[in-house]
Amino acid sequence: MVVEASTGVVYQQQYGGHMCRQGRVEGFLVPVFGPDALDALRRLFEKDFAGVGTWNYSWPDDKRARLRGIIEGIPYWASDGHTENLHALRLDESRMRDADEAWVPVITPDGPGVLLWANSD
């Protein structure tokens, strides 16, 4: 995932399934590990949405809750340079319009970010 920050480093990502949207986010990379969450995200976007993306999609409550639950299951280790603390990611529901396969806006203890993974397309 990429935590948004003024770093001068910009990450680009193709996302949105077959819609092949192009995203750019400036920040720093934070590796996260959540194989069960990745499987659940793939099922949601590749099976339920058939890999066609969610451009201008109005998320119904059940699908939004499902995505929220998946995201909250991903551990995020924040560090102040001396200690590490485990936190859960949170879905950034103020940016749901941007949520799509391989590009989900999140909130971390270090600020807003984007959860990325390999697009199915």
Side-chain angles (χ1 to χ4, degrees):
M1 69 156 299
V2 177
V3 175
E4 297 173 27
S6 297
T7 62
V9 178
V10 176
Y11 295 87
Q12 293 182 281
Q13 169 86 345
Q14 178 179 311
Y15 69 102
H18 302 297
M19 295 301 295
C20 297
R21 297 171 70 181
Q22 303 297 316
R24 296 170 44 98
V25 59
E26 180 181 5
F28 57 92
L29 186 65
V30 176
V32 294
F33 183 73
D36 293 338
L38 179 57
D39 288 344
L41 287 167
R42 286 185 171 150
R43 276 191 305 278
L44 176 64
F45 287 101
E46 294 174 27
K47 183 179 178 197
D48 293 3
F49 291 117
V52 296
T54 57
W55 180 259
N56 288 326
Y57 182 70
S58 180
W59 287 80
D61 291 341
D62 63 325
K63 285 212 181 354
R64 183 186 292 242
R66 185 170 161 201
L67 181 58
R68 184 185 312 116
I70 295 167
I71 298 303
E72 289 172 354
I74 299 172
Y76 181 95
W77 287 93
S79 174
D80 62 6
H82 301 286
T83 60
E84 294 94 26
N85 294 303
L86 180 61
H87 300 269
L89 293 178
R90 290 186 304 138
L91 179 63
D92 188 345
E93 298 195 41
S94 71
R95 299 189 294 165
M96 281 302 293
R97 180 182 172 110
D98 296 332
D100 210 334
E101 179 192 359
W103 186 278
V104 177
V106 295
I107 299 171
T108 78
D110 295 318
V114 180
L115 181 64
L116 309 170
W117 65 95
N119 185 30
S120 66
D121 182 47

